[in-house]
Amino acid sequence: MDLDDLVEHWTLLKDEQALVSGKRGATRLGFAVLLKFYTQYGRFPQGRFELPGEAVEFVARQVQVPAAELDVYEWSGRTVEYHRAQIRGHLGFRECSVANADKLTGWLAEHIACKERRPEQVRVELLARCRTECIEPPTPGRCDRIVGAALRGAEETLTARISARITAESIERIVALVTGADQEDDAEPGDAGTGEGEDGPPVLGKIKEAPGNVSL
């Protein structure tokens, strides 16, 4: 990381310094790097391995704690949970509740998944929306479930919209096409098909007669 990146993303501002001031040692440094990481990425690091060494050194000098102290900071337990709650409260973020997840799913289905069908791209939009709404991103598994639900919802909406536009005559012809294929399966060889009148066997019946599996 160059100096410009360190100064832009890892400098403790005045209000942030006030939050850090009441803490000591590893707790002070751990809280400070959590705060700056969350400010930049909108989530907490999964562990020490996600924190760049240069950034830790830069923050350590500001809080006047040796960078090595971060090695004894506990990444699980009541202390880190309290720190996370403090940081969320300071930045105005909140954890993703069931209601938040439902709202995100609906928004994705209506605005994103109706046009974008690639799950990885829908996931990018989900994370961006979380940042805009000041919602802490869900766990990776929960993100996958939200994306999957949004894609299914958008597909169901599109299917219902298309179905509502089909005329009664077309519906009758589609039903006859399928029914004719089923009837042909039960008919003896040489019998005339019933799905398309006198012109020949139903289209679906002809497809099913072809050798091999029916491909896309």
Side-chain angles (χ1 to χ4, degrees):
M1 299 181 66
D2 58 35
L3 182 59
D4 289 340
D5 288 335
L6 291 172
V7 171
E8 180 179 359
H9 299 295
W10 296 92
T11 298
L12 289 168
L13 304 179
K14 187 174 181 180
D15 58 338
E16 296 170 339
Q17 292 174 357
L19 282 177
V20 173
S21 62
K23 299 172 175 56
R24 298 289 182 271
T27 300
R28 181 185 180 95
L29 178 57
F31 182 90
V33 294
L34 283 181
L35 174 60
K36 296 312 299 182
F37 189 96
Y38 200 102
T39 301
Q40 183 175 353
Y41 297 105
R43 65 175 179 85
F44 292 109
Q46 299 179 18
R48 174 69 176 83
F49 65 92
E50 281 202 271
L51 298 169
E54 304 95 323
V56 174
E57 292 281 355
F58 187 75
V59 175
R61 289 194 295 270
Q62 297 177 70
V63 298
Q64 300 179 347
V65 175
E69 287 288 309
L70 191 62
D71 294 336
V72 299
Y73 183 75
E74 296 183 0
W75 295 93
S76 61
R78 289 186 300 176
T79 298
V80 70
E81 290 299 327
Y82 176 64
H83 287 176
R84 290 177 176 178
Q86 277 189 296
I87 291 170
R88 290 190 196 100
H90 174 71
L91 297 175
F93 274 71
R94 61 191 184 279
E95 293 185 89
C96 185
S97 65
V98 174
N100 294 145
D102 291 343
K103 184 178 179 181
L104 289 168
T105 300
W107 183 85
L108 286 172
E110 181 179 357
H111 298 282
I112 305 299
C114 58
K115 298 173 288 186
E116 176 57 71
R117 302 300 298 171
R118 291 173 296 176
E120 62 275 12
Q121 290 301 118
V122 178
R123 184 187 180 92
V124 170
E125 295 294 339
L126 167 62
L127 297 178
R129 184 67 176 179
C130 285
R131 188 67 181 266
T132 301
E133 294 291 321
C134 293
I135 298 173
E136 185 174 322
T139 61
R142 197 178 183 195
C143 281
D144 291 341
R145 291 192 292 273
I146 291 174
V147 169
L151 288 169
R152 289 192 300 273
E155 185 175 7
E156 290 170 358
T157 299
L158 176 61
T159 302
R161 184 181 302 123
I162 294 173
S163 177
R165 295 175 180 176
I166 299 176
T167 64
E169 179 185 0
S170 296
I171 292 175
E172 290 178 1
R173 290 177 60 85
I174 291 172
V175 171
L177 182 68
V178 178
T179 303
D182 292 339
Q183 291 174 352
E184 187 180 76
D185 289 341
D186 300 329
E188 295 295 331
D191 290 348
T194 59
E196 290 293 319
E198 302 295 334
D199 296 333
V203 175
L204 291 184
K206 296 296 292 182
I207 292 175
K208 291 171 69 175
E209 290 176 359
N213 294 326
V214 179
S215 67
L216 178 61

